[in-house]
Amino acid sequence: MSKSMSMSTSMSMSASTSKTQTQAKRVELLAPAGGPEQLECALRYGADAVYVGGDRFGLRRKARGFGEDELRQAASRVHAAGKRIYVTLNALMHDEDIEPLTAYAATLEASGVDAAIVSDPAALRIVRRVAPSLKLHISTQASVTNAEAARFWQEQGASRIVLARELSLAEIGAIRRKTPPELELEVFVHGAMCMAYSGRCLISNYLTGRDANRGHCTQPCRWGYGVVEETRPGQVFPLEEDERGTYLFNSRDLMMLEHLPELVAAGITSIKIEGRMKNALYVATVVKAYRQVLDGADPAELLAELETVSHRPYSTGFFFGPAQQSADEARYLKTRELIGVVQDCAEQPSGCWRVIFELRNRVQLGEELEVLTPVAGIRRFRVEALFDEQGAPVEVANVATRTYQAETPFALAPYDLLRICHCEGGQRPTAAIH
């Protein structure tokens, strides 16, 4: 190859990479926020928008959720950061829900949130009538798998479709080509997957009386199951050789960090991280990784970070053909544990820094901690000095949500996160936190 051809090829590749990165920056990174702490981490670690649940009508009733005053405060905080906030209203509605939903829709509009995520046509009609300033996003629970369905919902007033998780990348590209460019398309790219189509599961309701489609899922797909032969009552035979049982309904987690350019090329408007039941460390770690890749970082350098947070074995879901969805066990995997959330930091006369943090898990003198921040790489320090909230020296911090202090060799900022490595086997040899 000639020098001029080589330079031309290099310039072409560089231009292509630059174009992909420019396109990627226009893609919204949408993060979960199960509570105010997770919301703050989502904003600080790079999300363009957050989605939250109120105190009613969402599908994550176990998540903390946001009350009326908290929603108003959250919307104000998000907008001050120049970002967007969406609220889930994606439970299936029964007749007794209609009157309270009508009042709640008006509350949402008054709070200043940007959009409601709905799946039930009743919720769509009520929001359109009562809260016309709210945009309408159609939830993945609506199982939109084709362009005609997408256009139907657009005709009903929807501005965005959260596509069904069962679509391939090729199918998503076809839907984009057949729908108006102003109709936004959103897909999940990371987090837990449901064994039921678009999450519309009846197993929880059948086995426990708790309806997953109204926010009360008990996750029976994560339980172990066996086979009973009718002539041998009382004998349960595992379906696999695992001594803990089988997990034939148990789905792998989704992870598309390495494939963001393909999603950008397919015309996706928003990429969504699942996890309104997850803690601040999960939100911060995953959001930061996807933000960095959208901004041009090499995903290969960030894959290890996604292994640090609580997850099941990863897969690419249905994006590249039939999903390798079944996981061989229900156990969560992680290599790091959240120790505390930084509240403040002050320089000391000795030249070190005194960090104030709210405790999440037990820590003691001599342990090495890692610091996760929005922009810098991972830093480490050994806990050489530890103090209670009054400043008295202690050897161990073990009361959850209480404020403690530690000395560090560098300055930290609010919502930097302190974490610790698990020992071999995934456990730390320390007593439980009080």
Side-chain angles (χ1 to χ4, degrees):
M1 181 182 292
S2 70
K3 183 176 181 181
S4 61
M5 288 178 64
S6 177
M7 290 179 61
S8 175
T9 302
S10 175
M11 291 174 63
S12 175
M13 291 176 63
S14 176
S16 176
T17 300
S18 177
K19 181 179 180 182
T20 300
Q21 291 176 6
T22 301
Q23 288 175 323
K25 290 179 181 178
R26 295 201 296 266
V27 174
E28 176 187 82
L29 177 57
L30 177 56
E37 187 172 87
Q38 294 94 322
L39 182 144
E40 193 64 38
C41 282
L43 297 178
R44 289 175 182 261
Y45 284 79
D48 299 304
V50 295
Y51 64 102
V52 306
D55 49 13
R56 286 171 287 177
F57 307 118
L59 288 181
R60 295 292 184 272
R61 296 291 182 90
K62 290 184 180 179
R64 182 184 181 280
F66 289 75
E68 183 176 341
D69 289 341
E70 288 178 317
L71 267 180
R72 188 178 299 108
Q73 294 167 10
S76 177
R77 169 70 183 100
V78 170
H79 293 154
K83 303 183 180 186
R84 298 169 292 280
I85 179 171
Y86 314 137
V87 177
T88 57
L89 289 179
N90 53 348
L92 295 183
M93 305 299 170
H94 290 224
D95 273 337
E96 66 265 23
D97 298 320
I98 301 305
E99 185 174 343
L101 175 60
T102 302
Y104 189 63
T107 296
L108 289 184
E109 185 175 46
S111 72
V113 300
D114 297 290
I117 305 169
V118 304
S119 62
D120 193 313
L124 183 145
R125 281 171 53 85
I126 288 169
V127 172
R128 283 192 67 182
R129 183 174 70 248
V130 176
S133 70
L134 286 185
K135 292 184 176 181
L136 285 161
H137 296 177
I138 302 302
S139 170
T140 190
Q141 302 290 128
S143 302
V144 175
T145 57
N146 60 79
E148 285 298 310
R151 293 181 72 114
F152 166 81
W153 287 114
Q154 184 184 28
E155 290 167 358
Q156 310 312 309
S159 63
R160 177 180 295 190
I161 308 296
V162 187
L163 293 170
R165 301 190 199 192
E166 295 75 21
L167 290 172
S168 69
L169 193 62
E171 290 175 310
I172 291 169
I175 291 173
R176 176 73 288 171
R177 291 190 297 273
K178 296 175 183 177
T179 51
E182 66 271 16
L183 179 62
E184 299 177 348
L185 299 181
E186 175 182 307
V187 296
F188 280 92
V189 295
H190 194 95
M193 297 278 281
C194 181
M195 53 78 61
Y197 208 99
S198 298
R200 298 188 295 182
C201 181
L202 292 175
I203 299 178
S204 178
N205 202 353
Y206 180 78
L207 293 180
T208 70
R210 297 181 61 179
D211 192 347
N213 299 298
R214 305 194 77 192
H216 298 290
C217 184
T218 55
Q219 293 196 317
C221 57
R222 312 302 185 188
W223 302 347
Y225 292 89
V227 173
V228 177
E229 200 275 317
E230 62 179 8
T231 66
R232 301 172 186 175
Q235 287 186 267
V236 179
F237 301 92
L239 297 182
E240 294 180 358
E241 67 276 6
D242 187 344
E243 71 278 3
R244 296 175 357 140
T246 187
Y247 303 94
L248 71 167
F249 302 130
N250 193 34
S251 298
R252 291 174 177 265
D253 278 8
L254 177 65
M255 195 271 284
M256 287 288 287
L257 189 73
E258 297 174 284
H259 301 285
L260 297 188
E262 291 103 310
L263 291 170
V264 171
I268 292 302
T269 308
S270 177
I271 60 171
K272 186 174 193 173
I273 297 166
E274 184 276 338
R276 283 194 294 119
M277 299 292 291
K278 299 292 190 178
N279 67 13
L281 180 61
Y282 180 94
V283 172
T285 303
V286 178
V287 167
K288 181 179 179 180
Y290 278 84
R291 176 77 274 153
Q292 289 181 313
V293 173
L294 284 175
D295 289 346
D298 182 355
E301 297 177 359
L302 296 163
L303 292 175
E305 273 298 290
L306 296 183
E307 295 292 338
T308 67
V309 295
S310 178
H311 68 284
R312 296 181 182 86
Y314 288 127
S315 79
T316 54
F318 294 85
F319 282 104
F320 300 103
Q324 295 180 338
Q325 208 175 351
S326 178
D328 58 7
E329 59 175 274
R331 182 170 59 96
Y332 284 95
L333 309 171
K334 64 178 178 179
T335 62
R336 300 294 187 274
E337 185 173 61
L338 178 62
I339 292 299
V341 180
V342 173
Q343 295 183 339
D344 201 359
C345 188
E347 189 171 11
Q348 303 299 297
S350 62
C352 68
W353 296 80
R354 178 74 65 90
V355 60
I356 301 172
F357 63 96
E358 190 173 272
L359 191 71
R360 293 291 181 271
N361 283 288
R362 184 181 190 275
V363 65
Q364 63 189 27
L365 289 176
E367 291 189 300
E368 185 176 70
L369 299 185
E370 296 181 340
V371 182
L372 181 71
T373 72
V375 290
I378 301 300
R379 291 182 290 177
R380 297 172 177 83
F381 70 95
R382 190 167 299 279
V383 182
E384 304 289 359
L386 190 61
F387 310 90
D388 65 17
E389 52 192 344
Q390 282 78 40
V394 295
E395 293 187 359
V396 60
N398 61 355
V399 182
T401 72
R402 180 171 291 180
T403 298
Y404 288 87
Q405 303 172 34
E407 290 187 354
T408 73
F410 40 73
L412 299 179
Y415 289 95
D416 286 352
L417 302 178
L418 307 179
R419 69 187 194 186
I420 195 167
C421 294
H422 282 288
C423 298
E424 186 176 353
Q427 300 296 326
R428 293 171 59 206
T430 53
I433 194 169
H434 296 315

